[in-house]
Amino acid sequence: MILIPARLASTRFPEKVLAEIDGLPMVVKTARAVESVDRVAVATDDAKVAAVCEEYGVRTVLTSPDHTSGTDRIDEAATRLGLDENDIVLNVQADEPFIEPDVVETLRKLVEKHRHESRTMICSLYRAVTPEAASDPNLVKVVTDESGYALYFSRSPIPFDRDGGFDGYKGHLGLYGFTRKMLARFCALPPSPLETTEKLEQLRALSHGYAIAMARVETKSFGIDTPEDLQRALARG
Protein backbone atom coordinates (compact mmCIF):
# COMPACT_ATOMS: atom_id res chain seq x y z
CA MET A 1 0.00 0.00 0.00
CA ILE A 2 1.16 3.55 -0.74
CA LEU A 3 0.94 5.83 2.29
CA ILE A 4 1.40 9.58 1.90
CA PRO A 5 2.24 11.43 5.12
CA ALA A 6 0.76 14.94 5.00
CA ARG A 7 1.39 17.47 7.75
CA LEU A 8 -0.39 20.80 7.39
CA ALA A 9 2.14 22.81 9.40
CA SER A 10 5.26 23.80 7.47
CA THR A 11 7.85 26.33 8.57
CA ARG A 12 9.05 27.33 5.11
CA PHE A 13 5.71 26.99 3.31
CA PRO A 14 2.57 27.03 5.51
CA GLU A 15 -0.17 24.66 4.35
CA LYS A 16 1.87 23.70 1.30
CA VAL A 17 0.20 20.27 0.94
CA LEU A 18 -3.04 22.09 0.07
CA ALA A 19 -1.45 24.50 -2.42
CA GLU A 20 -3.15 24.26 -5.80
CA ILE A 21 -1.32 22.70 -8.74
CA ASP A 22 -3.12 22.16 -12.04
CA GLY A 23 -6.44 22.72 -10.29
CA LEU A 24 -5.82 20.16 -7.54
CA PRO A 25 -4.51 20.40 -3.98
CA MET A 26 -0.89 19.21 -3.95
CA VAL A 27 -1.55 16.16 -1.77
CA VAL A 28 -4.45 15.09 -4.01
CA LYS A 29 -2.34 15.52 -7.14
CA THR A 30 0.37 13.37 -5.56
CA ALA A 31 -2.15 10.67 -4.63
CA ARG A 32 -3.57 10.62 -8.15
CA ALA A 33 -0.10 10.44 -9.65
CA VAL A 34 0.56 7.08 -7.95
CA GLU A 35 -2.87 5.49 -7.68
CA SER A 36 -2.21 3.29 -10.71
CA VAL A 37 0.59 1.50 -8.81
CA ASP A 38 -1.31 0.38 -5.70
CA ARG A 39 -3.89 1.35 -3.11
CA VAL A 40 -3.30 4.84 -1.70
CA ALA A 41 -4.09 6.49 1.62
CA VAL A 42 -3.07 9.85 3.04
CA ALA A 43 -1.88 9.80 6.66
CA THR A 44 -2.50 13.18 8.27
CA ASP A 45 -2.89 14.76 11.69
CA ASP A 46 -5.20 17.51 10.46
CA ALA A 47 -8.93 17.32 9.85
CA LYS A 48 -8.67 20.04 7.18
CA VAL A 49 -6.33 17.90 5.07
CA ALA A 50 -8.56 14.86 5.62
CA ALA A 51 -11.66 16.78 4.53
CA VAL A 52 -9.99 18.05 1.35
CA CYS A 53 -8.73 14.57 0.44
CA GLU A 54 -12.10 12.96 1.04
CA GLU A 55 -13.76 15.64 -1.11
CA TYR A 56 -11.67 14.31 -3.98
CA GLY A 57 -12.23 10.67 -3.10
CA VAL A 58 -8.78 10.06 -1.59
CA ARG A 59 -8.74 7.72 1.40
CA THR A 60 -7.34 9.22 4.61
CA VAL A 61 -6.19 8.03 8.02
CA LEU A 62 -6.15 10.49 10.92
CA THR A 63 -3.03 10.08 13.05
CA SER A 64 -1.56 11.61 16.18
CA PRO A 65 -0.26 15.21 15.96
CA ASP A 66 2.75 14.23 18.08
CA HIS A 67 4.78 12.41 15.44
CA THR A 68 8.19 13.91 14.69
CA SER A 69 8.52 12.31 11.24
CA GLY A 70 6.46 11.13 8.31
CA THR A 71 7.74 7.59 8.88
CA ASP A 72 6.24 7.50 12.36
CA ARG A 73 3.01 8.82 10.90
CA ILE A 74 2.75 6.09 8.25
CA ASP A 75 3.64 3.48 10.88
CA GLU A 76 0.58 4.50 12.88
CA ALA A 77 -1.51 4.58 9.71
CA ALA A 78 -0.36 1.07 8.78
CA THR A 79 -1.47 -0.12 12.22
CA ARG A 80 -4.85 1.57 11.93
CA LEU A 81 -5.34 0.03 8.49
CA GLY A 82 -4.55 -3.43 9.85
CA LEU A 83 -1.76 -4.18 7.41
CA ASP A 84 -0.09 -7.57 7.75
CA GLU A 85 3.59 -7.69 8.76
CA ASN A 86 4.48 -9.03 5.31
CA ASP A 87 2.59 -6.33 3.40
CA ILE A 88 4.63 -3.81 1.42
CA VAL A 89 4.38 -0.18 2.50
CA LEU A 90 5.60 2.57 0.17
CA ASN A 91 6.18 6.02 1.64
CA VAL A 92 5.62 8.76 -0.95
CA GLN A 93 6.00 12.37 0.18
CA ALA A 94 2.96 14.65 -0.21
CA ASP A 95 5.11 17.32 -1.87
CA GLU A 96 5.99 15.14 -4.89
CA PRO A 97 3.04 15.88 -7.20
CA PHE A 98 5.04 15.14 -10.34
CA ILE A 99 6.36 11.74 -9.31
CA GLU A 100 6.09 9.25 -12.16
CA PRO A 101 4.19 5.98 -11.58
CA ASP A 102 7.03 3.91 -13.05
CA VAL A 103 9.40 5.33 -10.42
CA VAL A 104 7.10 4.16 -7.63
CA GLU A 105 6.67 0.81 -9.39
CA THR A 106 10.47 0.42 -9.42
CA LEU A 107 10.46 0.96 -5.65
CA ARG A 108 7.71 -1.63 -5.18
CA LYS A 109 9.64 -4.21 -7.18
CA LEU A 110 12.79 -3.46 -5.18
CA VAL A 111 10.96 -4.22 -1.94
CA GLU A 112 9.63 -7.43 -3.49
CA LYS A 113 13.21 -8.43 -4.32
CA HIS A 114 14.60 -7.77 -0.84
CA ARG A 115 11.59 -8.41 1.40
CA HIS A 116 12.89 -11.70 2.82
CA GLU A 117 16.38 -10.40 3.73
CA SER A 118 16.60 -10.05 7.49
CA ARG A 119 19.21 -7.29 7.28
CA THR A 120 17.53 -5.11 4.63
CA MET A 121 15.31 -2.64 6.45
CA ILE A 122 14.56 -0.05 3.75
CA CYS A 123 14.51 0.19 -0.02
CA SER A 124 14.94 3.52 -1.76
CA LEU A 125 15.94 5.24 -5.00
CA TYR A 126 18.46 7.66 -6.45
CA ARG A 127 19.12 9.50 -9.70
CA ALA A 128 22.30 10.78 -11.30
CA VAL A 129 23.01 14.45 -10.52
CA THR A 130 25.62 16.93 -11.68
CA PRO A 131 28.54 18.07 -9.47
CA GLU A 132 26.86 21.49 -9.32
CA ALA A 133 23.63 19.99 -8.03
CA ALA A 134 25.57 17.83 -5.56
CA SER A 135 26.87 20.98 -3.87
CA ASP A 136 23.34 21.91 -2.72
CA PRO A 137 22.83 20.83 0.93
CA ASN A 138 19.07 20.59 0.33
CA LEU A 139 19.76 17.75 -2.10
CA VAL A 140 20.68 14.60 -0.19
CA LYS A 141 23.44 12.50 -1.73
CA VAL A 142 24.05 8.78 -1.35
CA VAL A 143 27.02 6.53 -2.04
CA THR A 144 26.44 2.83 -2.69
CA ASP A 145 28.53 -0.33 -2.70
CA GLU A 146 29.05 -2.59 -5.71
CA SER A 147 25.91 -4.56 -4.84
CA GLY A 148 23.67 -1.50 -4.76
CA TYR A 149 23.36 -1.06 -1.00
CA ALA A 150 23.72 2.38 0.56
CA LEU A 151 27.00 3.10 2.33
CA TYR A 152 26.10 6.58 3.54
CA PHE A 153 23.78 9.55 2.96
CA SER A 154 24.84 13.16 3.39
CA ARG A 155 23.91 16.73 2.68
CA SER A 156 27.56 17.25 1.73
CA PRO A 157 28.86 16.20 -1.70
CA ILE A 158 29.93 12.57 -1.31
CA PRO A 159 32.33 11.16 -2.24
CA PHE A 160 34.80 14.03 -1.78
CA ASP A 161 36.30 14.68 -5.21
CA ARG A 162 39.96 15.15 -4.25
CA ASP A 163 41.43 15.28 -7.75
CA GLY A 164 38.44 16.78 -9.59
CA GLY A 165 36.53 15.39 -12.55
CA PHE A 166 34.19 13.02 -10.66
CA ASP A 167 30.78 12.83 -12.34
CA GLY A 168 29.10 9.95 -10.53
CA TYR A 169 27.09 11.80 -7.88
CA LYS A 170 23.82 10.18 -6.81
CA GLY A 171 20.92 12.29 -5.61
CA HIS A 172 18.63 10.52 -3.17
CA LEU A 173 14.88 10.52 -3.79
CA GLY A 174 12.81 10.74 -0.63
CA LEU A 175 10.73 7.65 -1.35
CA TYR A 176 11.00 4.66 0.96
CA GLY A 177 9.77 1.09 0.77
CA PHE A 178 9.40 -1.30 3.70
CA THR A 179 7.67 -4.45 4.69
CA ARG A 180 5.19 -3.65 7.46
CA LYS A 181 7.40 -5.61 9.85
CA MET A 182 10.52 -3.61 9.02
CA LEU A 183 8.64 -0.31 9.18
CA ALA A 184 7.59 -1.08 12.75
CA ARG A 185 11.12 -2.19 13.62
CA PHE A 186 12.61 1.00 12.18
CA CYS A 187 10.26 3.22 14.18
CA ALA A 188 11.16 1.32 17.37
CA LEU A 189 14.90 2.09 16.97
CA PRO A 190 16.34 5.04 18.89
CA PRO A 191 17.64 7.98 16.81
CA SER A 192 21.37 7.87 16.12
CA PRO A 193 23.98 10.64 16.40
CA LEU A 194 24.52 10.58 12.62
CA GLU A 195 20.80 10.99 12.05
CA THR A 196 20.49 13.97 14.36
CA THR A 197 23.66 15.58 12.97
CA GLU A 198 22.75 15.34 9.28
CA LYS A 199 19.01 15.56 9.95
CA LEU A 200 18.55 12.47 7.79
CA GLU A 201 16.26 9.83 9.23
CA GLN A 202 17.48 7.00 7.02
CA LEU A 203 20.89 7.08 8.75
CA ARG A 204 19.19 5.50 11.76
CA ALA A 205 18.91 2.22 9.89
CA LEU A 206 22.58 2.22 8.83
CA SER A 207 23.74 3.23 12.30
CA HIS A 208 21.97 0.22 13.80
CA GLY A 209 23.52 -2.22 11.34
CA TYR A 210 20.66 -2.60 8.87
CA ALA A 211 20.97 -2.34 5.10
CA ILE A 212 19.25 0.02 2.66
CA ALA A 213 18.86 -1.36 -0.87
CA MET A 214 19.01 1.27 -3.62
CA ALA A 215 18.02 1.42 -7.29
CA ARG A 216 18.70 4.04 -9.93
CA VAL A 217 15.79 5.69 -11.74
CA GLU A 218 15.25 8.37 -14.34
CA THR A 219 12.86 11.08 -13.18
CA LYS A 220 11.99 14.71 -13.80
CA SER A 221 10.08 15.01 -10.54
CA PHE A 222 11.10 17.38 -7.77
CA GLY A 223 9.84 18.06 -4.28
CA ILE A 224 8.12 21.34 -3.47
CA ASP A 225 9.59 22.78 -0.28
CA THR A 226 9.11 26.53 -0.74
CA PRO A 227 6.76 29.00 -2.47
CA GLU A 228 9.53 29.46 -5.06
CA ASP A 229 9.40 25.74 -5.81
CA LEU A 230 5.65 26.07 -6.35
CA GLN A 231 6.15 28.89 -8.85
CA ARG A 232 8.70 26.73 -10.64
CA ALA A 233 6.14 23.93 -10.77
CA LEU A 234 3.41 26.19 -12.12
CA ALA A 235 5.78 27.51 -14.78
CA ARG A 236 6.15 23.98 -16.15
CA GLY A 237 2.79 24.44 -17.81
Side-chain angles (χ1 to χ4, degrees), residues 45-92:
D45 62 349
D46 195 283
K48 183 176 181 179
V49 175
V52 169
C53 288
E54 289 168 6
E55 178 183 347
Y56 286 91
V58 178
R59 187 178 186 180
T60 61
V61 182
L62 275 173
T63 61
S64 168
D66 299 326
H67 294 306
T68 58
S69 74
T71 310
D72 291 323
R73 193 173 308 287
I74 67 165
D75 181 54
E76 180 187 347
T79 298
R80 290 184 177 275
L81 290 167
L83 299 186
D84 183 80
E85 69 171 18
N86 294 313
D87 286 341
I88 290 175
V89 179
L90 305 181
N91 180 352
V92 175

Side-chain angles (χ1 to χ4, degrees), residues 2-181:
I2 298 170
L3 295 178
I4 302 174
R7 185 173 64 95
L8 192 61
S10 174
T11 303
R12 291 189 291 175
F13 191 172
E15 298 196 3
K16 72 172 182 177
V17 299
L18 297 182
E20 187 173 297
I21 298 178
D22 297 336
L24 293 172
M26 186 187 303
V27 63
V28 173
K29 186 171 176 61
T30 302
R32 290 192 175 175
V34 301
E35 64 185 2
S36 63
V37 179
D38 208 332
R39 297 173 298 158
V40 178
V42 171
T44 182
D45 62 349
D46 195 283
K48 183 176 181 179
V49 175
V52 169
C53 288
E54 289 168 6
E55 178 183 347
Y56 286 91
V58 178
R59 187 178 186 180
T60 61
V61 182
L62 275 173
T63 61
S64 168
D66 299 326
H67 294 306
T68 58
S69 74
T71 310
D72 291 323
R73 193 173 308 287
I74 67 165
D75 181 54
E76 180 187 347
T79 298
R80 290 184 177 275
L81 290 167
L83 299 186
D84 183 80
E85 69 171 18
N86 294 313
D87 286 341
I88 290 175
V89 179
L90 305 181
N91 180 352
V92 175
Q93 305 305 311
D95 60 3
E96 288 277 358
F98 302 106
I99 193 68
E100 300 93 344
D102 61 312
V103 169
V104 182
E105 178 65 19
T106 296
L107 180 61
R108 188 191 66 78
K109 290 179 178 177
L110 191 64
V111 182
E112 286 277 7
K113 177 180 177 181
H114 294 280
R115 66 189 303 172
H116 299 299
E117 298 173 1
S118 61
R119 200 172 72 87
T120 300
M121 176 167 275
I122 305 172
C123 293
S124 196
L125 307 170
Y126 69 87
R127 61 181 166 190
V129 298
T130 65
E132 291 75 22
S135 66
D136 181 357
N138 292 313
L139 174 65
V140 178
K141 279 68 65 177
V142 60
V143 288
T144 59
D145 66 16
E146 296 302 315
S147 298
Y149 291 91
L151 293 171
Y152 192 66
F153 297 83
S154 182
R155 297 185 182 278
S156 297
I158 52 173
F160 175 69
D161 187 10
R162 178 177 174 178
D163 296 325
F166 181 75
D167 63 356
Y169 289 106
K170 299 172 181 177
H172 180 228
L173 301 181
L175 283 74
Y176 300 95
F178 307 80
T179 60
R180 174 70 188 96
K181 179 179 180 179

